Amino acid sequence: MPGGASVEMGADIFDLVQNSIVLCDRGGRVTRWNVASEQIYGWNQTKALGQPVHDLLKTRREIVPLMEQGLRESGHWEGDVERRAASGVVKTIRLKCVLSSPTEIVETGTDITDQGRMEEALSRAEHRYTNVFRAMAVSFWELDFTAVGGMVEQLRREGETELAAYLAANPEFVRKLIRATQVIDVNDLSVSMFGRGDKKEMLAGLEPYWPEASFPVYAAAVVAAVEGKPHFAAETRLSSIDGREYDVWFTACFPPEMLARGKLLIGILDISADKRAKAALEMSEQRYRSLFHVLPVAMLQVDRRELADVFTTLHRDGVRDLKAYFQEHPGFYEYAANSIQVIEVNQRAIELFRVRSADQLIGSAARVWREARETIQAAMVARFSGAARFEAEMKIRTFDDQIRDALYVAHFPEAYGREALGLICMLDISDRVEAQAKLSRMQAEFAHAARVSMLGELTASIAHEVNQPLGAILTSGETAIRWLDRPEPDLGELRALATRTVSDARRAGDVIRRIRSMASNGEPELIELALNDVVEEVMTFLGPELKRQTLQATLDLAPGLPSVRGDRVQLQQVFANLAVNALQAMAGQGEPRLLIRTAMIDPRAVCAMVEDNGPGIPPGQLHRLFQSFFTTKKGGMGIGLAICRSIVEAHGGRLEAANLPGGAGAQFRFTLPASQAESIQSSPLAKRRADA
Amino acid sequence: MVGLPISVIDDDESTRIALAGLLRLLGFEARTYGSAEEFLSIGALHPCCCIISDVHMSGLSGIDLKRRLDESGECTPVILITGRSEPRLLAEAAASGAICVLRKPFDTESLLAGLRQANVV
């Protein structure tokens, strides 16, 4: 053997070395055994020589094929192995094996058992550090991956190139790998999390902790290790030995030097609590989401981060009055409105803006606010000054170019801070606004018509008042002429006639003087009317006044009344006049009550009654009530009731006043002939019975 | 001129006095009343040949009065006078069975024409 001499020569040198040096033949039998080997393993040379080294030293069986494979393929292997010394003590040997010739293996070994103890000591020194990890609830596991490495290598040798796919397709193989993964060590937390208080119990296969649903994560970790990735991390679900499951963050490090020794350190972070919080958050988010989509209010989620940043800058630059800033920088509004992004909208928003899908609203908010510059600018000013909420009525232009009225409420939740996600709610109040406009229009029309009609009625009333003295003047004048035509005129009679003429002329002049202006007589417009509607309209008109006086107004409208033929505005005026008179009569008294009733007297007449619980009409004034210019009211013109009566009479009806029995108040009652036409359907408004 | 007096009913005193003065000058006896009710209660005791009544008065109107008279079988001719000009009111007055309706101010000739229709003259 050519190298024999040198080996022989080197024998002494071997003995000088502190490392164990063992020479084996190709069959693994010991051919040389140096002094250090005796010291480390406790076997003397005599005992060792000729023995199969792995049998002698109880090298862990899984390792042996790996060593042989390494030697066969690359002529060398190195790694940490556990061996048993003659004393039975298990030692950790850092082994380096070299195939020095086709028939000889040289293995050098260093006893690193103590080194391990030192490492342990070191870790004790790092107790505090470890504590930190404990506090962070990280479970550490040291795993022996050696067998797994062998199995995967075997697979590769069998020609399997797509490891990931293979593992995915063969869960049973993954199960075998997991079973073959040995737990070498775990920290306390791992014991409390995954064990039953006994750490030793856990120092076996990994299988109990790895539920089948989590196999893919194990497989991915294996693939990562094989592919030479430095580490692997994934969220998965692991189980304790007695079946409690945890959501965990699983990390594995593959430093080459550890891999070489078939070892692996994994860290497991319990994220169950995290998960629960997240789940709660998701649920709350879900609730918010369903509210967002279900509430019958148009809602837009906007991202106003950019504007918030601009606001911050403006604040820093000393801008205090954003309104003034808008005026000084004409382009700023455009920019600001465009910077706000609509990021989500609900179904009602889609309906409000009359778009086909949410996408059309997503994007710059300026498109959504085309008709509302003033309002949006005001909202921005409010936000700039720190308001958390802004509310205003605004006009919006729908995408099919209709103008709608909306109540605009913007909410800037503080929780989002500068990243300001804003929530905008819009309520379509077009109907309300329209109804209000209609009411004001009606009020205006009513007031106008009342004025016109009043002047018309006034004219008739005035004509009567003037015709009365004129008639007397004419008669007196003609009488006087007839006296003068007599041969002996009665001067006393003539004087009396002249005196009366003067006084009647004055009376006529007084009437005229009391009239400041006159309008031409408006022709009444006679149409088929439901008396109940007229009453309802007047009550609507008087609503605010009734409310102001905290008056209990009761409508008792008989259903199915025949219609009347009349001028709506004039009849409204009669009602309004009677109702206002009643209110004035009751002014200042406690518990004023107004009762308006309608009824059918006979098939040819309907009547309406306005009753109050005021002081009633003084008996002596009852007959003068409808005379023009008769008034008991300070500052009253005394034509209201006169006009009312002439209106009612012009409609072929009667207006009468009476006191209710027992001094319970006054009643004005007017009767109108029923129209010959079919009873017209009362509007829904009039069907309501209401207390104002 | 002899015969029964003419009754003048008007709630306007001046009209009442002027009319009565004219009628007396024309040779009639005239009795005046401030309301239809007054006439019905007092005047019924004093037969007259003609009634000249205002239409529009507080209380009973001239038209009401004519109706009452009709109801009680009293057929003294009635001349209605009025200061009002609403067509509906005039039509109602005309339809009441009055001899004629005179609109104030009216001249003596119109009154005389009415009295002639009433066969008083």
Side-chain angles (χ1 to χ4, degrees):
Chain A
M1 200 155 92
S6 69
V7 169
E8 204 61 45
M9 192 176 68
D12 296 328
I13 301 169
F14 286 170
D15 288 337
L16 295 177
V17 179
Q18 282 194 340
N19 294 346
S20 134
I21 296 175
V22 178
L23 299 187
C24 300
D25 61 18
R26 203 61 192 88
R29 290 173 194 281
V30 177
T31 53
R32 283 301 298 268
W33 191 259
N34 72 347
V35 175
S37 295
E38 279 185 15
Q39 285 163 355
I40 290 171
Y41 298 118
W43 301 104
N44 62 26
Q45 195 174 342
T46 322
K47 268 279 181 199
L49 286 175
Q51 297 288 324
V53 67
H54 296 310
D55 290 346
L56 178 70
L57 299 175
K58 308 275 190 288
T59 309
R60 270 186 56 190
R61 211 173 303 144
E62 302 91 69
I63 294 288
V64 180
L66 293 175
M67 294 167 72
E68 285 177 351
Q69 182 193 331
L71 292 170
R72 199 163 49 241
E73 288 174 3
S74 61
H76 114 284
W77 182 88
E78 56 180 271
D80 294 348
V81 296
E82 279 178 7
R83 285 180 163 171
R84 189 168 295 170
S87 63
V89 171
V90 174
K91 297 197 165 192
T92 306
I93 311 298
R94 183 153 295 168
L95 213 57
K96 197 177 246 181
C97 307
V98 179
L99 196 62
S100 60
S101 75
T103 55
E104 192 178 56
I105 300 163
V106 181
E107 68 163 55
T108 56
T110 312
D111 185 357
I112 57 163
T113 313
D114 288 343
Q115 203 179 325
R117 281 198 201 103
M118 276 165 66
E119 278 168 3
E120 223 171 86
L122 187 67
S123 85
R124 267 200 301 277
E126 289 176 346
H127 191 63
R128 269 206 314 232
Y129 179 69
T130 312
N131 269 350
V132 171
F133 274 92
R134 280 197 186 132
M136 288 173 69
V138 178
S139 147
F140 285 110
W141 301 57
E142 196 180 350
L143 302 178
D144 187 333
F145 213 52
T146 316
V148 173
M151 289 161 79
V152 170
E153 181 52 37
Q154 175 72 25
L155 211 56
R156 195 180 65 79
R157 260 187 279 120
E158 284 166 8
E160 186 57 60
T161 51
E162 297 296 327
L163 182 61
Y166 181 85
L167 294 180
N170 296 280
E172 280 315 305
F173 183 73
V174 176
R175 190 189 302 281
K176 279 182 196 156
L177 295 182
I178 292 171
R179 202 174 285 161
T181 307
Q182 291 295 311
V183 179
I184 301 169
D185 198 8
V186 292
N187 66 351
D188 293 347
L189 186 78
S190 305
V191 176
S192 64
M193 252 182 92
F194 293 96
R196 285 181 286 218
D198 179 10
K199 177 172 163 177
K200 278 185 199 141
E201 177 190 37
M202 296 178 69
L203 304 183
L206 195 60
E207 196 185 8
Y209 315 101
W210 215 284
E212 192 163 337
S214 302
F215 280 10
V217 169
Y218 183 91
V222 170
V223 171
V226 169
E227 287 175 352
K229 300 256 169 67
H231 52 76
F232 171 81
E235 204 173 301
T236 188
R237 208 167 161 79
L238 297 182
S239 167
S240 73
I241 206 162
D242 51 7
R244 272 170 296 143
E245 293 209 342
Y246 295 95
D247 290 304
V248 299
W249 181 247
F250 165 82
T251 59
C253 295
F254 319 115
E257 64 279 7
M258 276 188 84
L259 261 195
R261 286 181 266 145
K263 288 203 185 131
L264 191 60
L265 188 66
I266 64 169
I268 295 169
L269 182 65
D270 180 8
I271 55 169
S272 304
D274 217 35
K275 274 244 158 147
R276 272 194 297 277
K278 216 163 146 189
L281 193 68
E282 266 167 18
M283 238 160 73
S284 141
E285 168 78 3
Q286 194 57 46
R287 264 204 306 274
Y288 164 74
R289 211 119 292 283
S290 36
L291 274 182
F292 185 83
H293 286 292
V294 163
L295 279 182
V297 172
M299 291 207 240
L300 294 89
Q301 181 94 58
V302 295
D303 182 344
R304 43 187 315 288
R305 201 167 320 186
E306 184 179 338
L307 190 59
D309 288 342
V310 171
F311 278 6
T312 307
T313 311
L314 289 178
H315 273 298
R316 206 176 48 222
D317 293 349
V319 175
R320 290 289 168 269
D321 186 351
L322 190 68
K323 206 171 168 183
Y325 190 84
F326 272 122
Q327 280 165 2
E328 290 156 19
H329 302 79
F332 183 65
Y333 172 77
E334 287 301 319
Y335 161 74
N338 272 303
S339 77
I340 297 174
Q341 298 292 312
V342 177
I343 54 178
E344 190 170 8
V345 301
N346 69 355
Q347 184 58 33
R348 285 293 176 129
I350 292 171
E351 289 163 14
L352 177 62
F353 285 97
R354 293 170 177 275
V355 292
R356 281 185 308 282
S357 71
D359 307 346
Q360 289 172 269
L361 291 172
I362 304 298
S364 156
R367 297 170 309 124
V368 178
W369 294 330
R370 285 182 293 172
E371 293 293 323
R373 184 187 175 124
E374 296 298 315
T375 310
I376 299 306
Q377 200 162 304
M380 288 175 183
V381 169
R383 178 61 189 147
F384 187 74
S385 58
R389 188 187 148 85
F390 176 82
E391 187 176 326
E393 284 184 17
M394 71 189 274
K395 292 218 178 289
I396 57 166
R397 184 186 283 276
T398 63
F399 280 49
D400 60 355
D401 276 335
Q402 293 182 31
I403 302 293
R404 306 286 290 171
D405 291 288
L407 179 66
Y408 170 92
V409 182
H411 185 232
F412 319 106
E414 285 302 321
Y416 289 107
R418 288 181 59 252
E419 293 193 323
L421 285 177
L423 187 62
I424 288 168
C425 305
M426 289 168 137
L427 189 62
D428 188 345
I429 53 168
S430 303
D431 292 345
R432 202 173 83 192
V433 169
E434 197 184 322
Q436 244 161 19
K438 216 168 173 178
L439 181 63
S440 345
R441 223 167 28 238
M442 200 174 105
Q443 282 177 338
E445 276 169 10
F446 183 85
H448 177 69
R451 264 196 312 276
V452 170
S453 158
M454 189 152 146
L455 286 171
E457 290 309 314
L458 200 56
T459 311
S461 182
I462 288 160
H464 180 242
E465 293 304 306
V466 174
N467 283 339
Q468 208 74 306
L470 278 183
I473 288 166
L474 186 56
T475 303
S476 297
E478 288 194 324
T479 308
I481 290 165
R482 280 173 188 269
W483 274 113
L484 290 170
D485 286 346
R486 295 233 168 156
E488 292 164 8
D490 183 335
L491 289 182
E493 190 68 27
L494 280 168
R495 169 172 293 276
L497 285 168
T499 306
R500 267 204 310 280
T501 301
V502 169
S503 115
D504 282 331
R506 284 219 174 97
R507 185 151 67 104
D510 285 346
V511 172
I512 301 301
R513 241 193 314 282
R514 273 196 255 171
I515 312 309
R516 297 275 180 241
S517 61
M518 292 213 301
S520 59
N521 195 352
E523 279 300 306
E525 191 189 344
L526 298 182
I527 54 166
E528 294 291 323
L529 290 171
L531 192 59
N532 286 348
D533 284 358
V534 177
V535 175
E536 283 278 8
E537 284 153 10
V538 171
M539 294 316 280
T540 309
F541 171 66
L542 288 177
E545 182 65 19
L546 299 178
K547 251 183 208 153
R548 201 173 63 77
Q549 298 213 5
T550 57
L551 175 111
Q552 191 200 340
T554 309
L555 298 188
D556 180 8
L557 306 180
L561 288 183
S563 62
V564 296
R565 239 184 113 66
D567 184 299
R568 177 182 295 274
V569 172
Q570 288 188 342
L571 292 179
Q572 282 176 344
Q573 198 192 343
V574 171
F575 267 117
N577 219 310
L578 296 179
V580 168
N581 275 353
L583 296 187
Q584 287 170 343
M586 295 183 289
Q589 80 177 51
E591 296 184 22
R593 276 201 310 279
L594 180 67
L595 171 63
I596 297 185
R597 291 189 286 151
T598 57
M600 186 161 78
I601 305 173
D602 62 59
R604 287 168 301 149
V606 291
C607 95
M609 283 151 284
V610 178
E611 295 175 12
D612 64 55
N613 65 343
I617 304 153
Q621 294 178 356
L622 208 51
H623 70 281
R624 296 173 60 203
L625 218 48
F626 296 104
Q627 285 178 11
S628 295
F629 307 116
F630 172 81
T631 182
T632 57
K633 290 183 247 167
K634 205 176 171 184
M637 258 185 97
I639 52 172
L641 284 176
I643 291 172
C644 286
R645 175 171 268 188
S646 49
I647 290 174
V648 173
E649 283 172 353
H651 281 79
R654 298 179 65 86
L655 174 61
E656 294 152 312
N659 282 317
L660 292 169
Q667 182 197 61
F668 285 81
R669 169 192 169 104
F670 77 82
T671 312
L672 292 172
S675 163
Q676 299 307 308
E678 285 286 299
S679 149
I680 59 167
Q681 195 60 45
S682 187
S683 79
L685 186 68
K687 290 199 179 102
R688 206 186 44 190
R689 305 275 183 275
D691 280 1
Chain B
M1 219 179 271
V2 284
L4 292 170
I6 293 173
S7 295
V8 175
I9 309 166
D10 200 314
D11 58 356
D12 185 68
E13 190 192 11
S14 192
T15 303
R16 229 157 46 215
I17 293 170
L19 255 183
L22 176 61
L23 288 169
R24 284 187 195 112
L25 181 70
L26 292 175
F28 298 100
E29 190 189 339
R31 285 171 177 272
T32 57
Y33 306 89
S35 71
E37 287 88 343
E38 189 188 345
F39 171 79
L40 287 172
S41 60
I42 307 167
L45 304 171
H46 307 278
C48 59
C49 64
C50 181
I51 299 164
I52 300 173
S53 174
D54 189 20
V55 172
H56 213 78
M57 297 178 286
S58 56
L60 285 179
S61 72
I63 296 167
D64 293 334
L65 175 66
K66 172 64 180 142
R67 203 171 290 142
R68 293 278 183 98
L69 293 174
D70 288 348
E71 282 166 8
S72 62
E74 174 60 62
C75 52
T76 308
V78 173
I79 294 172
L80 291 174
I81 55 176
T82 180
R84 309 198 64 139
S85 52
E86 293 95 313
R88 186 193 276 262
L89 206 67
L90 293 174
E92 198 186 340
S96 67
I99 293 293
C100 65
V101 181
L102 299 180
R103 285 172 62 178
K104 297 178 186 176
F106 50 85
D107 53 29
T108 308
E109 278 312 312
S110 304
L111 178 66
L112 280 170
L115 289 173
R116 269 194 291 274
Q117 274 180 272
N119 287 319
V120 178
V121 181

